[in-house]
Amino acid sequence: MRRTTATAPGAAPLSAAAGEVYPQSAPAVAPPEQQPADTAQRDQLRTEFPFELPRGYVDESGTVHRDGVMRLSTARDELVPLRDVRVQENPAYLSVVLLGRVITRLGTLAMVHDGIVENMFASDLAFLQDFYRQINAEGHTRAAVRCPHCSEPFEVELGGSRLGES
């Protein structure tokens, strides 16, 4: 007596008889070396984003620092400042403390902290708040726009550009 296993309707039976074909499942995802380059790049998570301040932070020696890097925020980055006494007394201070945690580089400064953010020009602070929202809420710094002349859609890169420049 020959044994076979139960199969779904339309599926090839699994048995040891000669000449029968066993069904094979395809891999769910192709190995990275077989994926197209654009797919492999899309799967990598970008965690740091360069920016350029519209005016720049002026340190105590008069040096202007414009180029910087902001990293993605973690849950801890958003929770820890809520325990800060300055934030509890003035909720508007939350963005200053939060930006001090996620800006990893600014010009040639050895370290970026909330005291530096606190002494930035208001236009730079507004730029950084907007930049923070773009990279953390939307995951990128591109915006979908439409040409006002021909109505063709395209994307523009917002990250790292100075206000008023295209």
Side-chain angles (χ1 to χ4, degrees):
M1 173 179 221
R2 190 173 115 193
R3 287 185 154 172
T4 61
T5 57
T7 59
L14 297 174
S15 70
E20 289 193 39
V21 177
Y22 292 93
Q24 294 181 340
S25 60
V29 177
E33 62 275 357
Q34 293 177 356
Q35 290 181 3
D38 62 337
T39 304
Q41 288 175 348
R42 205 174 334 125
D43 290 342
Q44 292 180 351
L45 178 62
R46 184 173 172 198
T47 60
E48 292 191 327
F49 299 84
F51 63 84
E52 185 176 57
L53 295 174
R55 297 203 188 278
Y57 169 73
V58 182
D59 66 18
E60 57 279 344
S61 67
T63 304
V64 179
H65 304 273
R66 283 194 179 96
D67 297 323
V69 175
M70 184 183 295
R71 66 172 172 78
L72 288 178
S73 178
T74 64
R76 179 180 295 272
D77 291 324
E78 295 197 352
L79 293 172
V80 168
L82 297 175
R83 290 183 272 179
D84 191 304
V85 174
R86 298 167 296 180
V87 173
Q88 291 173 354
E89 291 175 0
N90 182 2
Y93 205 78
L94 174 63
S95 66
V96 171
V97 177
L98 185 54
L99 289 170
R101 293 179 63 91
V102 297
I103 297 171
T104 58
R105 185 181 63 74
L106 184 59
T108 59
L109 295 174
M111 189 173 140
V112 181
H113 50 81
D114 53 9
I116 288 173
V117 177
E118 189 177 45
N119 288 307
M120 288 183 174
F121 294 111
S123 59
D124 289 335
L125 179 61
F127 170 85
L128 289 170
Q129 289 169 330
D130 187 49
F131 190 70
Y132 176 90
R133 275 189 296 275
Q134 288 170 5
I135 67 172
N136 285 286
E138 299 167 18
H140 57 78
T141 59
R142 294 179 308 279
V145 295
R146 190 171 294 276
C147 176
H149 302 290
C150 68
S151 298
E152 283 293 313
F154 63 98
E155 287 186 341
V156 293
E157 179 69 34
L158 301 175
S161 63
R162 293 179 57 184
L163 296 177
E165 292 183 357
S166 51

